[in-house]
Amino acid sequence: MTRRKVTIVGAGNVGASTAQRIADRGLADVVLVDIVPGVPQGKALDLAESGPVEGFDNRVSGSNDYRESANSDVVVITAGIPRKPGMSRDDLLRTNHDIVKGVTDQVVKYSPNSILIVVSNPLDPMAQTALRASKFPRHRVIGMAGVLDSARFRAFIALELNVSVDNVHAFVLGGHGDTMVPLPRYSTVAGIPITELMPTETIDRLAQRARDGGAEIVKLLNTSAWFAPSASIVEMVDAILNDRKKILPCSAFLEGEYGISNQYVGVPVKLGGKGIEQVIEISLTADERVALHRSAAAVKELTDLLGV
Ligand code: NAI
Ligand code: 2OP
């Protein structure tokens, strides 16, 4: 059996904790790449030294050079900068676009057959940036957002009803932003739609908390989340490496599905060894469809600004 290899670009909070989860689960060898000298090497060495205690034999290394990433099966892109004081949303958009484009060019050079999972924000436009830069087919460039947004919704439902998170499934579609679309009709506890378990006002409150989930953490920590994001990334990495054919909400480049074309937006997909093996089209009510299209339009405004 050949060893699997996952490269994570950006050895910051999200990248490093993704590396840790992959190593702890023995999923694959891990390479951390970052532009800051010493950081990917230091974090990788520290993580590798936890192997004897945690009981993993996977190799963990860090580099500022993409040669180390060669022939990766999966590459996770978390490189980017957070918004700084005085910086507009557009400035951030352009800066992270340039970073993600540069990173993708390097990744593709050394891992031409890899599957890319894009995490950098703003998520859906960054996934589109990576798709254009890589020239990969759409099933090999996937954005991570829906798994995280749904995990937040699931956590809030489980807390509210005092039930195990194991029993709770939820779908959140649309772009990773204020316009994301939690779908209560498709969110269930032990198979029972939550619409039968809670009054509409409670569901609306939990859905809004899921929508604001990222901002709620930023307000508390003054930086964005990494535990739930890294767990969500690793669920996708695991589905791909183990060809699980798992149905997960991911940001996918649509070509007519849901009446949306030529852009990324969060939808349910089947994730397996080939990446996105199918975009699953679920039936939506008129209101849900309007909300998904409104969210897609908000993403398109940003990709139009970038010209990607
Ligand atoms: P961070 O600031 O801790 O880490 C980012 C890392 O990227 C830093 O180590 C930095 O040196 C590196 N970097 C910057 N430019 C680079 C380049 N050109 N090449 C290689 N590395 C480069 O940030 P954090 O918290 O890890 O977040 C990373 C990104 O993920 C952000 O854009 C954040 O908004 C996004 N994010 C997205 C989520 C999602 O649901 N899609 C969830 C959480 C975070
Ligand atoms: C989050 O949702 C900031 O996208 C990041 O936590």
Side-chain angles (χ1 to χ4, degrees), residues 9-15 34-36 66 78-80 82 96 99 103 119-121 123 144-145 148 176 224-225 229:
V9 187
N13 285 335
V14 176
D34 202 287
I35 36 162
V36 181
Y66 284 83
T78 77
N96 280 354
I99 291 174
V103 164
V119 181
S120 312
N121 270 322
L123 188 273
M144 189 292 286
L148 169 65
H176 184 56
S224 57

Side-chain angles (χ1 to χ4, degrees), residues 282-297:
I282 54 176
S283 67
L284 298 178
T285 63
D287 282 354
E288 289 163 350
R289 202 175 162 82
V290 166
L292 181 61
H293 278 249
R294 192 185 307 126
S295 189

Side-chain angles (χ1 to χ4, degrees), residues 132-176:
R132 300 299 189 206
S134 65
K135 301 190 173 63
F136 280 5
R138 66 170 180 158
H139 64 273
R140 289 205 279 130
V141 185
I142 313 160
M144 189 292 286
V147 178
L148 169 65
D149 298 327
S150 305
R152 288 178 171 147
F153 196 27
R154 289 168 67 192
F156 302 147
I157 294 166
L159 277 174
E160 184 72 25
L161 294 174
N162 194 23
V163 296
S164 165
V165 289
D166 264 1
N167 288 136
V168 184
H169 287 267
F171 264 119
V172 176
L173 308 187
H176 184 56

Side-chain angles (χ1 to χ4, degrees), residues 86-97:
M87 198 177 198
S88 74
R89 204 175 266 266
D90 284 1
D91 291 339
L92 179 74
L93 179 75
R94 284 175 206 291
T95 303
N96 280 354
H97 162 270

Side-chain angles (χ1 to χ4, degrees), residues 42-86:
K43 291 193 182 182
L45 181 60
D46 187 15
L47 183 51
E49 288 166 358
S50 74
V53 184
E54 286 293 332
F56 63 79
D57 285 306
N58 306 74
R59 294 196 190 106
V60 184
S61 59
S63 182
N64 305 114
D65 188 328
Y66 284 83
R67 270 177 292 195
E68 186 81 18
S69 73
N71 301 317
S72 293
D73 299 290
V74 175
V75 178
V76 180
I77 300 178
T78 77
I81 58 153
R83 197 163 157 189
K84 294 184 186 139

